[in-house]
Amino acid sequence: MMAKSDVSIIFLAPKFPGIIQSDVLVSLSSTCNRKNLSPQRESEVDQIWKGRIEKNPRLFNASKFRYHSMDVKNGVTELRLGLTSYKDFLGTNWAPDAKQLRSEGQDHYGNSQAYMSDALGVGNFVLTKDNYVIFIRRSQTVGEAAGLWDIPGGHPEPGEVPGGSSSPDEVELSSLAPADVLAEFYESTLREIRDEVNVPMDSLSQPMLMGVAANHQSSGRPSAEFYVKCSLTKSEVLKLYQEGGAEAEESSNITFIPVKDIPTIEENMVWKEMAPSAKGCMKLFNALSAGNHNYGV
């Protein structure tokens, strides 16, 4: 694990450019859900949520997958997931007493994340045909990292899985097939690129999982980062972005950085204005691709 800063690597693929879908096995279990807090503290989760939607009525609660752990055995990567919700994410990972919750998790369970929602995010290192990496500036209306440069990304959604639901009160792990959840894990990341950047999905390669990074600005929240190639050039992507996609309101601008400059990205001025999720993605790419400059893989 890297030294703690804004982000740290908690899982790194065995080799560049990452892990294909068929080499991943999803395990679903309620033991991977966050641990219950005291009744009083659980009610505070509701109060935090009410306060957040009063400030930003655009927010809405939805079921999410909870990241528990990931490791590689005999060439197969096991991804262990539970369930959580966006409300719980804001009420734990972004709670005013999140530091205390992490301390109590460590004391009670030997795991600082035990009480954390840890809603799993996904992000993308998208490389254009002419070797530029895509970044978008987040709008001021989003729930996290408003106004910062980020990569296209979001969440895999239980509501998109057969037998699932976007309502946290209606979805159960027993109704979800692990193979369907795995498909959603990989497909969701392509949908996010399509919807945020407005590029067609048939211009995108199959995603390869580079690893998982923890965002320490949101109490260790995990995000899985993928390597995706785009068959369009920088100028073609720019034109499509300017036309506006399904989630155009989530960003206000787009920029492109040559992939050859990513190894020294932390020296770039844009790093100071970059969301932790994007920083985690860049760190994963650099750790995984060190010594390998055949980015066309």
Side-chain angles (χ1 to χ4, degrees):
M1 183 179 292
M2 299 163 50
K4 182 175 178 180
S5 55
D6 282 349
V7 293
S8 63
I9 292 176
I10 54 178
F11 174 78
L12 183 67
K15 62 181 181 179
F16 181 82
I19 306 170
I20 60 176
Q21 181 175 328
S22 59
D23 286 343
V24 178
L25 173 69
V26 166
S27 296
L28 305 173
S29 173
S30 60
T31 62
C32 295
N33 295 348
R34 74 173 176 87
K35 302 299 183 183
N36 290 327
L37 297 159
S38 68
Q40 178 180 349
R41 185 59 186 78
E42 288 291 347
S43 69
E44 291 177 14
V45 172
D46 294 332
Q47 292 304 312
I48 291 171
W49 175 249
K50 290 178 181 178
R52 292 295 292 261
I53 59 176
E54 285 175 0
K55 293 180 180 179
N56 186 357
R58 294 173 60 89
L59 299 179
F60 64 94
N61 193 19
S63 56
K64 304 294 177 187
F65 290 106
R66 181 181 188 269
Y67 177 87
H68 180 273
S69 56
M70 177 176 270
D71 58 38
V72 181
K73 293 181 181 179
N74 301 319
V76 176
T77 302
E78 183 178 6
L79 171 61
R80 303 177 189 90
L81 299 174
L83 287 173
T84 186
S85 68
Y86 193 57
K87 178 186 76 172
D88 283 6
F89 172 59
L90 293 182
T92 57
N93 287 76
W94 280 102
D97 62 345
K99 185 176 180 179
Q100 177 64 25
L101 290 182
R102 296 187 79 192
S103 177
E104 291 177 3
Q106 187 64 45
D107 291 343
H108 298 164
Y109 296 98
N111 179 5
S112 63
Q113 301 306 112
Y115 291 123
M116 295 290 115
S117 163
D118 278 359
L120 177 62
V122 293
N124 298 281
F125 187 100
V126 185
L127 188 64
T128 66
K129 183 179 180 180
D130 47 353
N131 290 319
Y132 286 86
V133 183
I134 299 172
F135 294 86
I136 52 177
R137 188 181 285 279
R138 294 171 65 81
S139 72
Q140 295 294 334
T141 61
V142 295
E144 301 172 68
L148 298 181
W149 287 107
D150 204 355
I151 50 174
H155 306 85
E157 303 287 354
E160 295 289 335
V161 178
S165 173
S166 60
S167 170
D169 298 325
E170 296 177 3
V171 63
E172 296 181 0
L173 285 172
S174 60
S175 66
L176 306 178
D180 290 336
V181 174
L182 174 60
E184 168 61 12
F185 179 54
Y186 273 78
E187 290 170 11
S188 66
T189 202
L190 295 180
R191 288 200 310 268
E192 295 293 348
I193 302 171
R194 177 197 65 192
D195 293 345
E196 293 184 354
V197 186
N198 196 35
V199 295
M201 287 181 67
D202 62 9
S203 72
L204 302 172
S205 70
Q206 287 302 304
M208 304 189 79
L209 177 65
M210 298 191 297
V212 181
N215 178 349
H216 295 295
Q217 288 191 10
S218 54
S219 308
R221 184 270 186 90
S223 182
E225 308 297 349
F226 294 85
Y227 178 86
V228 178
K229 292 192 299 176
C230 180
S231 62
L232 305 176
T233 64
K234 163 187 159 182
S235 60
E236 289 171 329
V237 171
L238 175 61
K239 181 179 179 181
L240 289 169
Y241 175 82
Q242 291 173 336
E243 292 174 1
E247 296 179 358
E249 76 285 351
E250 293 189 6
S251 68
S252 60
N253 202 354
I254 190 169
T255 194
F256 304 84
I257 295 179
V259 69
K260 65 180 178 62
D261 293 342
I262 299 302
T264 56
I265 187 68
E266 295 185 43
E267 301 170 14
N268 192 310
M269 286 298 294
V270 74
W271 184 261
K272 297 180 180 179
E273 297 183 62
M274 193 175 290
S277 56
K279 291 181 177 180
C281 185
M282 298 305 109
K283 286 179 178 289
L284 281 163
F285 175 81
N286 284 335
L288 198 58
S289 65
N292 186 335
H293 302 297
N294 185 18
Y295 303 132
V297 171

